[in-house]
Every structure is written in structure tokens, then in C-alpha cells.
Amino acid sequence: AQSVAQPEDQVNVAEGNPLTVKCTYSVSGNPYLFWYVQYPNRGLQFLLKYITGDNLVKGSYGFEAEFNKSQTSFHLKKPSALVSDSALYFCAVRGYSTLTFGKGTMLLVSP
Amino acid sequence: DAGVIQSPRHEVTEMGQEVTLRCKPISGHDYLFWYRQTMMRGLELLIYFNNNVPIDDSGMPEDRFSAKMPNASFSTLKIQPSEPRDSAVYFCASSRQGWRDIQYFGAGTRLSVL
């Protein structure tokens, strides 16, 4: 069965600094990987996905993620954080017939 | 497009009462998913439909939970009888092509069972 690990419950970063939210996965076969973001009192919103191709995936709101097959990681990154990026971030991996989400990482960007 | 629409946004009920949550997926999406989100267990898939047919309900916690999709534009999740441990946020999501595709989530229903 597939699994996703987000090792950090919370990430704190100052506005303007680069941010990284970590994700590692385990799945049989080729991975389909996703990042979603959840703002308070809202549903999850799609940020980006990796299916095949370039290991650096660009997504919404200036976010990007780097797929690393050897380390089975799919870390979310942004060069310069905004206060408005503060939210709950979920990594997800597609298995045979389901999508498994991580526990989520709360990103807090301070002014 | 209005996106995935869920109702009600908030529901407060007493233990033992029946609760019905509603979802209208995005038009043209063939897949519909019901999730439950709690602090302790995170986001859990309860059931999903393909072309209105339930495909996998292994995540439904007990017989008290049931879900239907009578047509392509409407689904319900029912809890009868409700219990305090059912308190959570319930999300509905839809997608065009299932698990490899982007899922679009509704705003959720926050259920409190007293």
C-alpha cells in the first residue's frame, strides 16, 4: 500500500525568505504526486502535480516542487514566502485505486 | 463554474439524530469523493463514485454511514444515528478522470454532534 510522510507538523518562515515543506512517499510503480493547500474554513485546493517528465514542477501562486526518485521525495518550495501563504499543506500520492494524503504541514509566514 | 457545492456549511445536532450532508459536483466530472477530516486522523476517504456508481466504500466507518448518488449532479452522505465521535469536517470532491486527475473540493460541512 502507498504512504506519504510529512515529517514536520509546522514550518515557520519569515516573509521574503525561501520556504520548503517536506514530503516523502512510498508507492509501487510510477508515482503520481500532488500538493494541495487548505486555507482556514475552506476545502483543499490543488497546487501542482507530478506524473512524468521534468523533475521540477511549477504550480500555482509561485510554488514549485522537486521530484527526487532516489530519495522518494517531493518537497514543496517557494523562493520568497508571503504572509498570505500561511495555510495547511498536504502532499498526496496516487496508489492503485486511491489517493493517500499526508497528515499536513502548517506553514506560518511571519511579517 | 461555481465549483463543488456542499450544504449545509455547519450542522449541529444531538446524538441519535439523523444527519444528511449534500454535495453538488462540478458538471462533467465523473468521479465524486467523500472525505472526513479530523485533527486526530487527518483526511480520510469514506467512499467514492464513478458515473454515479459506488466503487469503494471501504472507508465508511460503520453501517450508520450511507452514501448515495441518484444522479450526476447530486450526492448525499447520511449518518443515522449520529454519535459525538462523528463530529468532523466532511468534504466532497469531484474530478474528471479519477485518481490521476485534480480533485476539486467543496468548502466542507462542519458537523458537531452533541
Side-chain angles (χ1 to χ4, degrees):
Chain A
Q2 67 273 11
S3 65
V4 175
Q6 293 182 242
E8 303 153 317
D9 291 335
Q10 184 168 306
V11 170
N12 297 296
V13 64
E15 187 173 35
N17 285 356
L19 69 88
T20 298
V21 182
K22 296 179 180 177
C23 171
T24 58
Y25 67 91
S26 173
V27 67
S28 299
N30 294 323
Y32 283 29
L33 297 157
F34 299 80
W35 275 102
Y36 284 81
V37 60
Q38 184 180 25
Y39 297 101
N41 301 313
R42 303 284 296 276
L44 278 68
Q45 297 177 30
F46 170 78
L47 272 181
L48 50 82
K49 67 176 178 180
Y50 172 84
I51 295 178
T52 187
D54 195 348
N55 289 344
L56 186 63
V57 180
K58 293 189 181 298
S60 306
Y61 312 121
F63 284 92
E64 57 190 25
E66 186 171 9
F67 171 68
N68 188 315
K69 187 173 183 178
S70 63
Q71 297 185 5
T72 61
S73 67
F74 190 55
H75 300 332
L76 182 70
K77 300 181 179 184
K78 187 174 183 181
S80 179
L82 299 172
V83 173
S84 57
D85 292 331
S86 298
L88 186 59
Y89 290 80
F90 291 92
C91 182
V93 62
R94 194 207 77 161
Y96 177 70
S97 63
T98 187
L99 189 65
T100 299
F101 287 86
K103 292 289 189 181
T105 298
M106 180 64 71
L107 173 65
L108 294 177
V109 182
S110 56
Chain B
D1 198 326
V4 176
I5 299 173
Q6 291 187 246
S7 63
R9 288 296 311 276
H10 303 276
E11 178 79 39
V12 181
T13 190
E14 292 186 348
M15 182 174 62
Q17 296 298 305
E18 177 180 294
V19 175
T20 299
L21 311 181
R22 297 173 175 80
C23 175
K24 176 179 170 56
I26 294 173
S27 177
H29 284 194
D30 292 335
Y31 287 78
L32 184 138
F33 310 86
W34 281 102
Y35 291 91
R36 179 172 66 177
Q37 185 180 36
T38 62
M39 289 292 291
M40 291 297 295
R41 300 174 67 90
L43 196 64
E44 303 172 280
L45 176 70
L46 299 177
I47 185 171
Y48 79 94
F49 295 82
N50 179 21
N51 291 321
N52 313 337
V53 176
I55 302 301
D56 184 354
D57 64 354
S58 60
M60 297 285 262
E62 308 173 23
D63 291 345
R64 298 184 297 104
F65 285 69
S66 63
K68 294 181 180 180
M69 192 165 186
N71 57 63
S73 59
F74 184 66
S75 177
T76 60
L77 178 67
K78 185 176 294 186
I79 308 172
Q80 166 63 19
S82 58
E83 296 183 3
R85 58 187 169 137
D86 301 331
S87 297
V89 181
Y90 291 82
F91 289 104
C92 175
S94 69
S95 74
R96 286 189 187 278
Q97 297 179 354
W99 296 109
R100 63 179 177 177
D101 200 2
I102 299 166
Q103 292 186 29
Y104 294 85
F105 284 74
T109 296
R110 182 174 297 277
L111 174 64
S112 297
V113 183
L114 306 177

Coordinates of all heavy atoms in Angstrom, one line a residue, chain B residues 10-76:
Chain B
H10 N -22.5 24.3 8.1 CA -22.4 23.9 9.5 C -23.7 23.1 9.9 O -24.8 23.5 9.5 CB -22.3 25.1 10.4 CG -21.1 26.0 10.1 ND1 -19.8 25.8 10.5 CD2 -21.0 27.1 9.3 CE1 -19.0 26.7 10.0 NE2 -19.7 27.5 9.3
E11 N -23.5 22.1 10.7 CA -24.6 21.3 11.2 C -24.3 21.0 12.7 O -23.3 20.4 13.0 CB -24.8 20.1 10.4 CG -25.9 19.1 10.9 CD -27.2 19.6 10.4 OE1 -27.4 20.1 9.3 OE2 -28.2 19.5 11.2
V12 N -25.3 21.4 13.5 CA -25.2 21.0 15.0 C -26.4 20.1 15.3 O -27.5 20.5 15.0 CB -25.1 22.2 15.9 CG1 -25.0 21.8 17.3 CG2 -23.9 23.1 15.5
T13 N -26.1 19.0 15.8 CA -27.2 18.1 16.1 C -27.0 17.3 17.4 O -25.9 17.4 18.0 CB -27.4 17.1 14.9 OG1 -28.7 16.3 15.1 CG2 -26.3 16.1 14.9
E14 N -28.0 16.7 17.9 CA -27.9 15.9 19.1 C -27.6 14.4 18.8 O -28.1 13.9 17.7 CB -29.1 16.1 20.0 CG -29.2 17.5 20.5 CD -30.4 17.6 21.5 OE1 -31.2 16.7 21.6 OE2 -30.5 18.6 22.2
M15 N -26.9 13.8 19.6 CA -26.7 12.3 19.5 C -28.0 11.6 19.2 O -29.0 11.8 19.9 CB -26.0 11.8 20.7 CG -25.6 10.4 20.7 SD -24.7 9.8 22.1 CE -25.9 10.2 23.4
G16 N -27.9 10.7 18.2 CA -29.0 9.9 17.9 C -29.9 10.4 16.8 O -30.7 9.7 16.2
Q17 N -29.6 11.6 16.4 CA -30.4 12.2 15.3 C -29.8 11.8 13.9 O -28.6 11.5 13.8 CB -30.4 13.7 15.4 CG -31.1 14.3 16.6 CD -32.6 13.9 16.6 OE1 -33.3 14.1 15.7 NE2 -33.0 13.2 17.7
E18 N -30.6 11.9 12.9 CA -30.2 11.6 11.6 C -29.6 12.9 11.0 O -30.1 14.0 11.1 CB -31.3 11.1 10.7 CG -30.9 10.9 9.2 CD -32.1 10.4 8.4 OE1 -32.6 9.3 8.7 OE2 -32.6 11.1 7.5
V19 N -28.5 12.7 10.3 CA -27.8 13.9 9.6 C -27.6 13.6 8.1 O -27.2 12.5 7.8 CB -26.4 14.1 10.2 CG1 -25.7 15.2 9.5 CG2 -26.5 14.5 11.7
T20 N -28.0 14.5 7.3 CA -27.8 14.4 5.8 C -26.9 15.5 5.3 O -27.3 16.7 5.5 CB -29.1 14.3 5.1 OG1 -29.9 13.2 5.6 CG2 -28.9 14.1 3.6
L21 N -25.8 15.1 4.7 CA -25.0 16.1 4.1 C -25.1 16.0 2.6 O -25.3 14.9 2.0 CB -23.5 15.9 4.4 CG -23.2 15.6 5.9 CD1 -21.7 15.4 6.2 CD2 -23.7 16.8 6.8
R22 N -25.1 17.2 1.9 CA -25.3 17.2 0.5 C -24.2 17.8 -0.3 O -23.4 18.6 0.1 CB -26.6 18.0 0.2 CG -27.8 17.5 0.9 CD -29.0 18.4 0.8 NE -30.2 17.8 1.3 CZ -30.5 17.7 2.6 NH1 -29.7 18.2 3.5 NH2 -31.6 17.1 3.0
C23 N -24.1 17.3 -1.6 CA -23.0 17.7 -2.5 C -23.5 17.8 -3.9 O -24.1 16.9 -4.4 CB -21.8 16.7 -2.3 SG -20.5 17.1 -3.5
K24 N -23.1 18.9 -4.5 CA -23.3 19.0 -6.0 C -21.9 19.1 -6.6 O -21.2 20.1 -6.4 CB -24.1 20.3 -6.3 CG -24.3 20.6 -7.8 CD -25.1 21.8 -8.0 CE -25.1 22.3 -9.4 NZ -25.6 21.2 -10.3
P25 N -21.5 18.1 -7.4 CA -20.2 18.2 -8.0 C -20.1 19.1 -9.2 O -21.2 19.6 -9.7 CB -20.0 16.7 -8.5 CG -21.4 16.2 -8.8 CD -22.3 16.9 -7.8
I26 N -19.0 19.3 -9.8 CA -18.8 20.1 -10.9 C -19.4 19.4 -12.1 O -19.1 18.2 -12.3 CB -17.3 20.5 -11.2 CG1 -16.8 21.4 -10.0 CG2 -17.1 21.2 -12.5 CD1 -15.3 21.7 -10.0
S27 N -20.1 20.1 -13.0 CA -20.7 19.5 -14.1 C -19.6 18.9 -15.0 O -18.6 19.5 -15.3 CB -21.5 20.5 -14.9 OG -22.1 20.0 -16.1
G28 N -19.9 17.6 -15.5 CA -18.9 17.0 -16.4 C -17.9 16.1 -15.6 O -17.2 15.4 -16.3
H29 N -17.9 16.2 -14.3 CA -17.0 15.4 -13.6 C -17.6 14.0 -13.3 O -18.7 14.0 -12.8 CB -16.6 16.1 -12.3 CG -15.6 17.2 -12.4 ND1 -14.9 17.7 -11.4 CD2 -15.1 17.8 -13.5 CE1 -14.1 18.7 -11.8 NE2 -14.2 18.7 -13.1
D30 N -16.9 12.9 -13.6 CA -17.4 11.6 -13.5 C -17.2 11.0 -12.1 O -17.7 9.9 -11.8 CB -16.9 10.7 -14.6 CG -17.4 11.1 -16.0 OD1 -18.4 11.7 -16.1 OD2 -16.7 10.8 -16.9
Y31 N -16.3 11.6 -11.4 CA -15.9 11.0 -10.1 C -16.3 11.9 -9.0 O -16.1 13.1 -9.0 CB -14.4 10.7 -10.0 CG -13.9 9.6 -10.9 CD1 -13.8 9.7 -12.2 CD2 -13.6 8.3 -10.3 CE1 -13.3 8.7 -13.0 CE2 -13.2 7.3 -11.1 CZ -13.0 7.4 -12.4 OH -12.6 6.4 -13.2
L32 N -16.8 11.3 -7.9 CA -17.2 12.1 -6.7 C -16.6 11.3 -5.5 O -16.8 10.1 -5.4 CB -18.7 12.2 -6.6 CG -19.2 13.1 -5.4 CD1 -20.3 14.0 -5.9 CD2 -19.6 12.3 -4.2
F33 N -16.1 12.1 -4.6 CA -15.4 11.5 -3.4 C -16.0 12.2 -2.1 O -16.2 13.4 -2.1 CB -13.9 11.8 -3.4 CG -13.2 11.5 -4.7 CD1 -13.2 12.3 -5.8 CD2 -12.6 10.2 -4.8 CE1 -12.5 12.0 -7.0 CE2 -11.9 9.9 -6.0 CZ -11.9 10.8 -7.1
W34 N -16.1 11.4 -1.1 CA -16.5 12.0 0.2 C -15.3 11.7 1.2 O -14.8 10.6 1.3 CB -17.7 11.3 0.8 CG -19.0 11.8 0.2 CD1 -19.8 11.2 -0.7 CD2 -19.7 13.0 0.6 NE1 -20.9 12.0 -0.9 CE2 -20.9 13.1 -0.1 CE3 -19.4 14.0 1.6 CZ2 -21.8 14.1 0.0 CZ3 -20.3 15.0 1.7 CH2 -21.5 15.1 0.9
Y35 N -14.9 12.8 1.9 CA -13.8 12.7 2.8 C -14.3 13.2 4.2 O -15.2 13.9 4.3 CB -12.6 13.5 2.4 CG -11.8 13.1 1.2 CD1 -12.2 13.6 -0.1 CD2 -10.7 12.3 1.3 CE1 -11.4 13.2 -1.2 CE2 -10.0 11.9 0.2 CZ -10.3 12.4 -1.1 OH -9.6 12.0 -2.2
R36 N -13.5 12.7 5.2 CA -13.8 13.2 6.6 C -12.4 13.7 7.1 O -11.4 13.0 6.9 CB -14.3 12.1 7.5 CG -14.6 12.6 8.9 CD -15.3 11.5 9.7 NE -14.5 10.3 9.9 CZ -14.9 9.2 10.6 NH1 -16.1 9.3 11.2 NH2 -14.2 8.2 10.7
Q37 N -12.4 14.9 7.7 CA -11.2 15.5 8.3 C -11.3 15.7 9.7 O -12.3 16.4 10.2 CB -10.8 16.8 7.5 CG -9.5 17.3 8.0 CD -9.2 18.6 7.3 OE1 -10.0 19.5 7.0 NE2 -7.9 18.8 6.9
T38 N -10.4 15.1 10.5 CA -10.3 15.4 12.0 C -8.9 15.6 12.3 O -8.0 15.3 11.6 CB -10.8 14.1 12.8 OG1 -10.0 13.0 12.5 CG2 -12.3 13.8 12.4
M39 N -8.7 16.3 13.5 CA -7.4 16.5 13.9 C -6.6 15.3 14.2 O -5.4 15.2 13.9 CB -7.4 17.4 15.2 CG -7.9 18.8 15.0 SD -6.7 19.8 14.1 CE -5.4 19.9 15.3
M40 N -7.3 14.3 14.7 CA -6.6 13.0 15.1 C -6.2 12.2 13.9 O -5.2 11.6 13.9 CB -7.5 12.2 16.1 CG -7.6 12.9 17.4 SD -6.1 13.0 18.3 CE -5.7 11.3 18.5
R41 N -7.1 12.1 12.9 CA -6.9 11.1 11.9 C -6.6 11.8 10.5 O -6.4 11.0 9.5 CB -8.2 10.2 11.8 CG -8.5 9.5 13.0 CD -9.8 8.7 12.9 NE -9.7 7.7 11.9 CZ -9.4 6.4 12.2 NH1 -9.1 6.1 13.4 NH2 -9.3 5.5 11.2
G42 N -6.6 13.1 10.5 CA -6.3 13.8 9.2 C -7.5 13.6 8.2 O -8.6 13.5 8.6
L43 N -7.1 13.5 7.0 CA -8.1 13.4 5.9 C -8.3 12.0 5.5 O -7.3 11.3 5.1 CB -7.6 14.2 4.7 CG -8.6 14.6 3.6 CD1 -9.7 15.5 4.2 CD2 -7.9 15.3 2.5
E44 N -9.5 11.5 5.6 CA -9.8 10.1 5.3 C -10.8 10.0 4.2 O -11.8 10.7 4.2 CB -10.4 9.4 6.5 CG -9.6 9.4 7.8 CD -10.4 8.8 8.9 OE1 -11.3 9.6 9.5 OE2 -10.3 7.6 9.3
L45 N -10.6 9.1 3.2 CA -11.6 8.8 2.2 C -12.6 7.9 2.8 O -12.4 6.9 3.3 CB -10.9 8.2 1.0 CG -11.9 7.7 -0.1 CD1 -12.4 9.0 -0.8 CD2 -11.2 6.8 -1.1
L46 N -13.9 8.3 2.6 CA -15.0 7.5 3.1 C -15.5 6.6 1.9 O -15.7 5.4 2.1 CB -16.1 8.4 3.6 CG -15.8 9.3 4.8 CD1 -17.0 10.1 5.1 CD2 -15.3 8.4 6.0
I47 N -15.8 7.2 0.8 CA -16.4 6.5 -0.3 C -16.2 7.3 -1.6 O -16.0 8.5 -1.5 CB -17.9 6.3 -0.1 CG1 -18.5 5.4 -1.2 CG2 -18.6 7.6 0.0 CD1 -20.0 5.0 -0.9
Y48 N -16.1 6.6 -2.8 CA -16.1 7.3 -4.0 C -17.0 6.7 -5.0 O -17.2 5.5 -5.0 CB -14.7 7.6 -4.5 CG -14.0 6.5 -5.2 CD1 -14.1 6.4 -6.6 CD2 -13.2 5.6 -4.5 CE1 -13.4 5.4 -7.3 CE2 -12.6 4.6 -5.2 CZ -12.6 4.5 -6.6 OH -11.9 3.5 -7.2
F49 N -17.5 7.5 -5.9 CA -18.4 7.1 -7.0 C -17.8 7.4 -8.4 O -17.0 8.3 -8.5 CB -19.7 7.9 -7.0 CG -20.5 7.7 -5.7 CD1 -20.3 8.3 -4.5 CD2 -21.6 6.8 -5.7 CE1 -21.0 8.2 -3.4 CE2 -22.4 6.6 -4.6 CZ -22.1 7.3 -3.4
N50 N -18.1 6.5 -9.3 CA -17.7 6.7 -10.7 C -19.0 6.6 -11.5 O -19.7 5.6 -11.5 CB -16.7 5.7 -11.2 CG -16.3 6.0 -12.7 OD1 -16.5 7.0 -13.2 ND2 -15.8 4.9 -13.3
N51 N -19.4 7.7 -12.2 CA -20.6 7.7 -13.0 C -21.8 7.2 -12.1 O -22.6 6.4 -12.6 CB -20.5 6.8 -14.2 CG -19.5 7.3 -15.3 OD1 -19.5 8.5 -15.5 ND2 -18.7 6.5 -15.9
N52 N -21.9 7.8 -11.0 CA -23.0 7.6 -10.0 C -23.0 6.3 -9.3 O -23.9 6.0 -8.5 CB -24.4 7.8 -10.7 CG -24.4 9.0 -11.6 OD1 -23.6 10.0 -11.4 ND2 -25.3 9.0 -12.5
V53 N -22.0 5.4 -9.6 CA -22.0 4.1 -9.0 C -20.9 4.0 -7.9 O -19.8 4.5 -8.2 CB -21.6 3.0 -10.1 CG1 -21.5 1.6 -9.4 CG2 -22.7 3.0 -11.2
P54 N -21.3 3.6 -6.7 CA -20.3 3.5 -5.6 C -19.2 2.4 -6.0 O -19.5 1.3 -6.3 CB -21.1 3.1 -4.4 CG -22.3 2.4 -4.9 CD -22.6 3.1 -6.3
I55 N -17.9 2.8 -5.9 CA -16.9 1.9 -6.3 C -16.2 1.4 -5.1 O -15.8 0.2 -5.1 CB -15.8 2.7 -7.2 CG1 -16.5 3.3 -8.5 CG2 -14.7 1.7 -7.6 CD1 -17.2 2.2 -9.3
D56 N -15.9 2.2 -4.1 CA -15.2 1.7 -3.0 C -15.7 2.4 -1.7 O -15.6 3.6 -1.6 CB -13.7 2.0 -3.1 CG -12.8 1.5 -2.0 OD1 -13.4 1.0 -1.0 OD2 -11.6 1.6 -2.0
D57 N -16.4 1.7 -0.9 CA -16.9 2.2 0.4 C -16.2 1.7 1.6 O -16.7 1.7 2.7 CB -18.4 2.0 0.5 CG -18.7 0.5 0.6 OD1 -17.8 -0.3 0.5 OD2 -19.9 0.2 0.8
S58 N -15.0 1.2 1.4 CA -14.3 0.5 2.5 C -13.9 1.5 3.6 O -13.6 1.1 4.7 CB -13.0 -0.2 2.0 OG -12.1 0.8 1.3
G59 N -13.9 2.8 3.3 CA -13.6 3.8 4.3 C -14.8 4.2 5.1 O -14.6 5.0 6.1
M60 N -16.0 3.8 4.8 CA -17.1 4.1 5.6 C -17.0 3.5 6.9 O -16.9 2.2 7.0 CB -18.4 3.7 4.9 CG -18.6 4.3 3.5 SD -19.2 6.0 3.7 CE -20.9 5.8 3.5
P61 N -17.0 4.2 8.0 CA -16.7 3.7 9.3 C -17.6 2.6 9.8 O -17.2 1.6 10.4 CB -16.6 4.9 10.2 CG -17.3 6.0 9.5 CD -17.3 5.7 8.1
E62 N -18.9 2.8 9.6 CA -19.9 1.8 10.2 C -21.1 1.8 9.3 O -21.3 2.6 8.4 CB -20.2 2.2 11.6 CG -19.1 2.4 12.5 CD -19.5 3.0 13.9 OE1 -20.7 2.8 14.3 OE2 -18.7 3.6 14.5
D63 N -22.0 0.9 9.7 CA -23.3 0.8 9.0 C -24.1 2.1 9.2 O -25.1 2.3 8.5 CB -24.1 -0.4 9.4 CG -23.4 -1.7 8.9 OD1 -22.5 -1.6 8.0 OD2 -23.8 -2.8 9.5
R64 N -23.8 2.9 10.2 CA -24.5 4.1 10.4 C -24.3 5.1 9.3 O -25.1 6.0 9.2 CB -24.1 4.7 11.8 CG -24.3 3.9 13.0 CD -24.0 4.6 14.3 NE -22.5 4.9 14.4 CZ -22.0 6.1 14.2 NH1 -22.9 7.2 13.9 NH2 -20.7 6.4 14.3
F65 N -23.3 4.9 8.5 CA -23.0 5.8 7.4 C -23.5 5.2 6.1 O -23.2 4.0 5.9 CB -21.5 6.0 7.3 CG -20.9 6.9 8.4 CD1 -20.8 6.5 9.7 CD2 -20.4 8.2 8.0 CE1 -20.3 7.4 10.7 CE2 -19.9 9.0 9.0 CZ -19.8 8.6 10.3
S66 N -24.1 6.0 5.3 CA -24.5 5.6 4.0 C -24.4 6.8 3.0 O -24.5 7.9 3.4 CB -25.9 5.0 4.0 OG -26.8 6.1 4.3
A67 N -24.1 6.4 1.7 CA -24.0 7.5 0.7 C -24.7 7.0 -0.5 O -24.7 5.9 -0.9 CB -22.5 7.8 0.4
K68 N -25.3 8.0 -1.2 CA -26.0 7.8 -2.4 C -25.6 8.8 -3.5 O -25.2 9.9 -3.1 CB -27.5 7.8 -2.2 CG -28.0 6.7 -1.3 CD -29.5 6.7 -1.2 CE -30.0 5.6 -0.3 NZ -31.5 5.7 -0.1
M69 N -25.8 8.5 -4.7 CA -25.6 9.4 -5.8 C -26.7 9.1 -6.8 O -26.5 8.4 -7.8 CB -24.2 9.3 -6.4 CG -23.9 10.5 -7.3 SD -22.2 10.6 -7.7 CE -22.2 12.1 -8.6
P70 N -27.9 9.6 -6.7 CA -29.0 9.3 -7.5 C -28.9 9.8 -8.9 O -29.5 9.3 -9.9 CB -30.2 10.0 -6.8 CG -29.6 11.0 -6.0 CD -28.3 10.6 -5.6
N71 N -28.0 10.9 -9.1 CA -27.8 11.4 -10.5 C -26.4 12.1 -10.5 O -25.8 12.2 -9.5 CB -28.9 12.3 -11.0 CG -29.1 13.5 -10.0 OD1 -28.2 14.3 -9.8 ND2 -30.3 13.5 -9.4
A72 N -26.1 12.5 -11.7 CA -24.7 13.0 -11.9 C -24.5 14.4 -11.2 O -23.3 14.8 -11.0 CB -24.4 13.2 -13.4
S73 N -25.5 15.0 -10.7 CA -25.4 16.3 -10.1 C -25.7 16.4 -8.6 O -25.8 17.5 -8.1 CB -26.2 17.3 -10.9 OG -27.6 16.9 -10.8
F74 N -25.8 15.2 -8.0 CA -26.2 15.3 -6.6 C -25.8 14.0 -5.8 O -25.9 12.9 -6.3 CB -27.7 15.4 -6.5 CG -28.2 15.6 -5.1 CD1 -27.9 16.7 -4.3 CD2 -29.1 14.6 -4.5 CE1 -28.4 16.9 -3.0 CE2 -29.6 14.7 -3.2 CZ -29.2 15.9 -2.5
S75 N -25.2 14.2 -4.6 CA -24.9 13.1 -3.8 C -25.2 13.5 -2.3 O -25.2 14.6 -1.9 CB -23.4 12.8 -3.9 OG -23.0 11.7 -3.0
T76 N -25.5 12.5 -1.5 CA -25.8 12.7 -0.1 C -24.9 11.7 0.7 O -24.6 10.6 0.3 CB -27.2 12.4 0.3 OG1 -27.6 11.1 -0.1 CG2 -28.1 13.4 -0.5

